[in-house]
């Protein structure tokens, strides 16, 4: 069985990287000012889009106008009249090599919008845009499936939102996250062992946790090569459960009491039909369908950090069960053929 993938090491680095990111971004953002603006547009793709989806509510809470999360192509194609008159454009690219994201940042900066670039690579092509830039202290992550880059992005974005009047970030406990990783890895190996022929993973979430669902879907597809999909939980209830079989898995991220009750009802209904539904339950009240059991986070502010950890571990566990290297995506070089990256990074 494959062990000790670079992905496993990067998952383990996350508690320290998140702590360092919160400190570094707060320090770097203290000397940055966006000036006047009447709305915020968050731009990115892939894991960056998912992290922006998680952080959108923190930016909205700053009370600086409407907040929209857009892919870079959608941003470039959105009529000016549908955007704020002068907007803060936060462009996130963890690698700094995403082609359309670089183009979106270039256009926003050239148009005189208050553009802020967030990346983990100070020397990447993104740096050539010339807009103010905040570098996340992620360190090397030379694999396609980003784990520490994703969670560091969430932490950094929340620190930027805090800088412009968003909610204060509560103290972060690296030890608590390290314990969560240990427990999640064990739970992931156990859950993966129950699916000898996993055919589909469906993942849902609401609000901030929609970003978790999107990222969990992406990680399982990238790392384990399993077909996945992610939607708002309510959309899942309207027909998509019919696509599940006894060899499928559905994960629902729940943070509030209402979300937990919907998840519990869904899990019970599908259990009657021989389909596994498990709850990434951060509501504080356990259910029989929770996975992992005892999942806990002390604050809702960064709860998506806790919710994604089990999914990262599950992706690696499923890859091992399928005889795959967790860091080696099914189709190496696909990003180059699709022309979505600049440079050698997958």
């Amino acid at each position: 069985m494959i062990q000790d993938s670079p992905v496993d090491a990067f998952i383990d680095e996350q508690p320290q990287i998140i702590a360092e990111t919160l400190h570094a971004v707060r320090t770097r953002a203290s000397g940055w000012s966006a000036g006047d603006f009447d709305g915020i547009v968050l731009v990115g793709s892939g894991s960056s889009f998912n992290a922006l989806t998680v952080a959108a509510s923190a930016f909205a809470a700053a009370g600086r106008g409407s907040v929209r999360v857009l892919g870079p192509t959608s941003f470039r194609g959105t009529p000016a009249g549908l955007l704020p008159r002068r907007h803060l454009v936060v462009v996130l690219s963890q690698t700094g090599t995403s082609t359309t994201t670089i183009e979106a940042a270039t256009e926003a900066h050239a148009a005189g919008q208050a553009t802020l670039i967030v990346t983990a690579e100070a020397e990447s092509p993104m740096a050539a845009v010339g807009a103010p830039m905040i570098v996340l202290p992620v360190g090397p992550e030379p694999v396609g499936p980003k784990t520490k880059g994703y969670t560091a992005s969430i932490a950094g974005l929340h620190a930027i939102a805090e800088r412009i009047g968003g909610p204060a970030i509560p103290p972060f406990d690296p030890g608590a996250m390290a314990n969560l990783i240990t427990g999640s890895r064990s739970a992931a190996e156990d859950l993966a062992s129950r699916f000898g022929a996993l055919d589909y993973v469906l993942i849902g979430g609401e609000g901030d946790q929609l970003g978790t669902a999107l990222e969990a879907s992406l990680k399982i597809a990238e790392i384990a090569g399993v077909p996945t999909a992610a939607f708002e939980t309510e959309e899942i209830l309207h027909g998509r459960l019919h696509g599940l079989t006894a060899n499928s898995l559905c994960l629902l991220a729940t943070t509030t009491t209402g979300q937990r009750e919907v998840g519990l009802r869904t899990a019970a209904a599908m259990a009657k039909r021989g389909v596994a539904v498990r709850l990434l339950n951060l509501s504080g009240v356990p259910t029989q369908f929770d996975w992992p059991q005892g999942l806990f986070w002390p604050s809702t502010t960064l709860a998506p950090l806790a919710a994604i950890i089990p999914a990262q571990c599950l992706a690696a566990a499923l890859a091992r069960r399928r005889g795959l290297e967790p860091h080696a995506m099914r189709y190496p070089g696909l990003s180059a053929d699709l022309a979505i990256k600049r440079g050698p990074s997958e």
Side-chain angles (χ1 to χ4, degrees):
M1 183 177 293
I2 299 165
Q3 298 287 352
D4 300 325
S5 163
V7 169
D8 296 305
F10 296 145
I11 289 173
D12 287 337
E13 289 179 26
Q14 289 178 112
Q16 188 60 35
I17 293 297
I18 291 168
E20 292 174 0
T21 296
L22 288 170
H23 174 73
V25 174
R26 280 169 164 161
T27 300
R28 293 166 186 171
S30 64
W32 163 78
S33 174
D36 295 329
F37 57 89
D38 59 356
I40 302 171
V41 185
L42 309 176
V43 181
S45 60
S47 283
S48 294
F49 180 90
N50 302 339
L52 291 165
T53 301
V54 167
S57 64
F59 282 93
R64 303 290 297 271
S66 64
V67 176
R68 297 185 67 178
V69 182
L70 295 173
T73 300
S74 295
F75 170 73
R76 298 177 68 200
T78 301
L82 297 181
L83 295 172
R85 181 166 40 82
R86 173 169 168 76
H87 41 285
L88 168 62
V89 184
V90 179
V91 182
L92 172 63
S93 175
Q94 294 161 36
T95 64
T97 61
S98 295
T99 302
T100 54
T101 305
I102 295 168
E103 292 167 351
T106 300
E107 289 188 10
H109 183 51
Q113 299 297 340
T115 306
L116 177 66
I117 291 169
V118 184
T119 182
E121 299 290 346
E123 304 301 322
S124 65
M126 184 66 78
V129 171
M133 185 168 69
I134 289 181
V135 179
L136 307 172
V138 175
E141 193 176 17
V143 296
K146 300 297 187 271
T147 52
K148 64 177 181 175
Y150 170 75
T151 51
S153 293
I154 291 175
L157 290 167
H158 275 80
I160 293 167
E162 182 183 60
R163 174 74 177 86
I164 64 171
I169 302 170
F172 173 74
D173 183 355
M177 177 164 276
N179 290 337
L180 174 59
I181 292 170
T182 299
S184 295
R185 187 164 279 139
S186 176
E189 295 291 346
D190 178 68
L191 186 61
S193 71
R194 299 170 186 261
F195 290 94
L198 186 63
D199 59 10
Y200 180 45
V201 182
L202 178 62
I203 311 172
E206 301 283 353
D208 294 354
Q209 297 290 22
L210 174 58
T212 298
L214 293 168
E215 178 65 11
S217 169
L218 177 60
K219 287 288 93 72
I220 292 171
E222 288 180 321
I223 292 174
V226 176
T228 68
F231 300 93
E232 289 184 335
T233 300
E234 186 169 9
E235 284 301 305
I236 284 177
L237 305 185
H238 288 268
R240 291 185 169 85
L241 292 168
H242 292 280
L244 303 179
T245 73
N247 292 321
S248 303
L249 172 65
C250 178
L251 297 174
L252 300 177
T254 65
T255 305
T256 68
T257 298
Q259 292 169 7
R260 183 190 67 244
E261 292 305 311
V262 170
L264 182 58
R265 186 164 59 248
T266 304
M270 296 310 294
K272 294 180 186 177
R273 294 160 172 83
V275 176
V277 176
R278 297 291 180 265
L279 308 185
L280 294 164
N281 182 10
L282 288 159
S283 71
V285 177
T287 82
Q288 68 189 91
F289 297 104
D290 292 356
W291 178 84
Q293 288 289 330
L295 185 62
F296 170 77
W297 198 247
S299 167
T300 59
T301 302
L302 293 176
L305 292 179
I308 196 58
I309 295 295
Q312 292 175 344
C313 294
L314 179 61
L318 287 170
R320 283 189 281 269
R321 291 282 171 179
R322 294 161 67 87
L324 303 174
E325 294 278 2
H327 65 281
M329 298 157 78
R330 184 192 293 274
Y331 302 116
L334 182 58
S335 292
D337 287 350
L338 297 176
I340 61 173
K341 300 286 186 181
R342 295 186 183 177
S345 174
E346 178 66 43

